[in-house]
Structures are given as C-alpha cells and as structure tokens.
Amino acid sequence: METGTLMTRPPASATPQESRGANAPAESVGDLSEAGFTALAARHRRELHVHCYRMLASFEEAEDAVQETFLRAWRGRDGFDGSTLVRAWLYRIATNVCLDAIRRRSRRPVAASSHAEVPWLTPYPDRLLDEAAPTDEQPEAMVVDRETIELAFLVAMQALPPRQRAAFIVRDVLGWPASEAADLLGTSVPAANSALQRARATLHDRLPQHRGEWSAPELDEQDRALLAAFIDAHERCDAAAAVAISAQDLRVTMPPYPMVFDGLQQVAALLERAFGPERDGDWRLLPTSANRMPAAASYLLRPGDTAYRAFKLDVLRVRDGLVAEITTFGPQLFAELGLPATL
C-alpha cells in the first residue's frame, strides 16, 4: 500500500477553494449576528463533527469538540480578518480544540494492534455520515470516503502523535495543500510536510499492506445477505450457524473493555456460552450500518420482562464473504442510529 495515495484527493497544488470545484464561490464571513452565525454553524457542523471524530475516535467527544469549536469561533469572530475562507478558519479552530482535548486526557499513541487498545472508540452512524456528503447546495462539503471512516482507520489514527494525526487528516484525507495545512497547524511548510511524512511512515507499518484487508467498496447485496445470516443465527441462538459465516481468523473486541477474542476457536467457545441454556434471555436484532460497515443492533428480552431492550451494537468487518471482525459496542448511540430503545 502506498500511503501517499491512500485516499482519493485533489492535487497537492489545489487550494481549498479549487478543491470545492471551479464554480464554487469563495465563502465569506457574511452576517456575524447571532442568527447569521447560527446558520454558518449549521452549514458546517456535520463535516466538522466528522473531522473531530477522525481526530478523537469518539462520537461523544467529537460532539463536545464541535460545541467548543463554535463557542471559540463566536468569541473570536471579531478577530477573523477574512484572509482565509470561513471553512478553513473553522477547521483550524476545531483541530486546535481536538489537540487540546488529547493533551487534556493525556492520551499517548497506541500500537493499534487491535480495537481493544482504544477504549474510547465509538461507532459513527451512517445516517449521520450521509449528512456530510456533498450536495448541489454545499459543493465544498467533504466526501466521506469509506476507507477514511472505517474502524480500522480510526484505530490507526490513534497510533499517530496528535499533530502528525492532524497533518495526515488535513493533507491526505481533506486534500489541503501544504501551505494551508501549515497555516492550520500554526507551523512552517517544511515542518508540516515532515509531520505528514512521519505519519505516512507510521501508517505504512500499522495498516495492512493491501487495502482489501481493511477497506471495501460500498455495501452490496452480499454484505446485506451476510448481515441477514448473522442476525438469523443470533436470533435463533445457533452457534454453529454463526461459526459457518465467520472467517477462521475472526477477531472480536468490545471497547471499552480490554478483552480480545482471536480465532474462530476462541469465538466459538464464547458463542456456545452466550447461546447456551444459561443465556441471559431471548434476542431480536435489527440491521443497521455504522462507519460504512454493516452492523446489527441487538435487543434482549430478559426472563420476566415484557420488552426487548437495547443491549449492544455489533459492527462487522467483512472479508471474502465472511465475517472477519466483530466490534461490539454498548447501546448508547441507538437514538443516533435511528433505532428505538425497546421493541
């Protein structure tokens, strides 16, 4: 894998205005009254949220970071001199908010050998990612490439020191030229380029050498059929059926917990216990998607209860038509996924 061409992006010589399209008008600050600022915030909120999520790997922390970004922008609006685009100004603030948050939490880069190393990792609902896709009204909105939002990519980002992470995201994900990246980071072009090169080298060591091992095209009928089979096996508590659709090197992790189940033999034993006569109750699952990956939302009916209650979210990585990885999260984001709390 050539990390220098990891993502589809505009040429390095393009400016942020040019990468929006030749006919896209430069955005000015315009009305900075409370109403005008509210409209500006609404226009850019989702793409800034995705940016903060890539930096922090947590949906909730990204939410806090966006709120802080707009608070700082509102307080500093009089100091905006119009020498850069509003979007670039907001990205600069958001990046600094994220860098401050990482320092405040004293988080050090991880080895990124498994999702369990990132206990703060949370999923991102696809229905909200769709809001960041470009439209005719917002031609400058960033494209949410699947390969730059999958869980493997998010975990790999946590292997980078914070400023290298920021340099990589703005250069190789957002497609900003070196001069704009340096301005965003408050450093020189050579220093920004050096940070980018170090980030690329680290990712080359951390990510699989072939894209197919961690990235795939958009969800297709095969993915949906596999998800349906996964749901059916779990609703029937059929461990053999669940094993039949899984890769031999299946891995299961459960952030924020540190457990890692490696290999089909370990996972099969886990399923036998979970589906056995001592199981917690009966299950119903609903299909959904997060991080551009198929996912299943599980609801549990405990003995004596009258409703199936939100319990967990399994996000699946599919490889060669089999489930290669399951990352299990709690039900905290069911509402954002558009799912009910009970069935």
Side-chain angles (χ1 to χ4, degrees):
M1 177 182 66
E2 295 179 5
T3 53
T5 57
L6 189 62
M7 274 63 69
T8 301
R9 60 185 189 276
S13 60
T15 67
Q17 181 178 348
E18 289 167 341
S19 62
R20 293 198 308 266
N23 297 322
E27 183 183 15
S28 63
V29 177
D31 178 12
L32 280 183
S33 65
E34 184 173 353
F37 189 84
T38 298
L40 178 69
R43 179 179 177 86
H44 294 287
R45 186 183 188 284
R46 181 57 58 195
E47 63 169 313
L48 289 171
H49 192 274
V50 174
H51 175 62
C52 293
Y53 176 71
R54 286 191 175 111
M55 287 286 297
L56 302 172
S58 166
F59 185 94
E60 296 88 348
E61 291 179 12
E63 188 73 27
D64 293 340
V66 171
Q67 295 296 334
E68 176 64 20
T69 294
F70 288 129
L71 180 60
R72 292 189 188 183
W74 172 254
R75 289 173 174 170
R77 65 194 185 281
D78 292 340
F80 181 74
D81 60 8
S83 60
T84 186
L85 301 181
V86 172
R87 184 168 176 258
W89 176 59
L90 292 173
Y91 267 93
R92 184 187 308 118
I93 297 171
T95 301
N96 283 320
V97 167
C98 291
L99 293 174
D100 290 345
I102 294 167
R103 283 192 292 268
R104 188 165 59 248
R105 293 173 175 84
S106 300
R107 287 179 180 161
R108 302 182 63 82
V110 300
S113 59
S114 84
H115 298 359
E117 291 183 51
V118 186
W120 57 90
L121 178 69
T122 62
Y124 203 114
D126 277 9
R127 65 193 293 263
L128 300 182
L129 287 174
D130 291 341
E131 296 178 6
T135 66
D136 291 340
E137 291 76 24
Q138 292 181 289
E140 81 280 14
M142 64 181 217
V143 175
V144 184
D145 292 321
R146 184 174 179 185
E147 64 182 11
T148 68
I149 205 68
E150 284 192 0
L151 295 176
F153 181 84
L154 269 294
V155 171
M157 286 294 98
Q158 305 305 297
L160 300 175
R163 291 181 69 81
Q164 289 184 29
R165 192 182 313 170
F168 183 87
I169 291 172
V170 298
R171 289 293 311 279
D172 278 9
V173 177
L174 299 179
W176 288 26
S179 59
E180 297 290 340
D183 184 58
L184 179 140
L185 293 170
T187 189
S188 65
V189 169
N193 285 338
S194 176
L196 175 63
Q197 293 302 324
R198 292 196 301 273
R200 287 174 174 170
T202 298
L203 291 180
H204 185 273
D205 294 336
R206 295 292 188 273
L207 288 171
Q209 293 301 302
H210 301 289
R211 283 190 183 190
E213 295 182 16
W214 69 282
S215 170
E218 292 301 314
L219 300 187
D220 56 21
E221 289 305 316
Q222 185 180 43
D223 294 325
R224 295 184 181 92
L226 185 63
L227 179 59
F230 179 91
I231 288 174
D232 177 66
H234 283 71
E235 288 188 333
R236 293 188 294 106
C237 293
D238 189 336
V243 166
I245 60 172
S246 301
Q248 285 295 321
D249 59 348
L250 174 66
R251 167 176 283 181
V252 176
T253 52
M254 305 175 181
Y257 304 107
M259 295 91 74
V260 180
F261 300 90
D262 264 325
L264 193 53
Q265 186 174 359
Q266 278 193 15
V267 177
L270 177 68
L271 290 172
E272 291 288 352
R273 292 194 300 271
F275 291 165
E278 301 300 319
R279 65 178 183 269
D280 294 329
D282 295 323
W283 296 96
R284 283 188 185 171
L285 283 73
L286 296 179
T288 185
S289 57
N291 297 80
R292 303 307 192 198
M293 306 167 75
S298 294
Y299 294 78
L300 177 63
L301 175 65
R302 296 184 185 276
D305 203 349
T306 58
Y308 288 82
R309 303 188 185 279
F311 188 81
K312 65 184 176 74
L313 178 75
D314 291 317
V315 181
L316 313 181
R317 181 169 65 86
V318 177
R319 186 187 68 229
D320 298 330
L322 296 171
V323 178
E325 187 166 18
I326 303 171
T327 310
T328 300
F329 300 99
Q332 291 81 2
L333 291 178
F334 271 39
E336 285 76 9
L337 286 158
L339 298 171
T342 60
L343 295 177

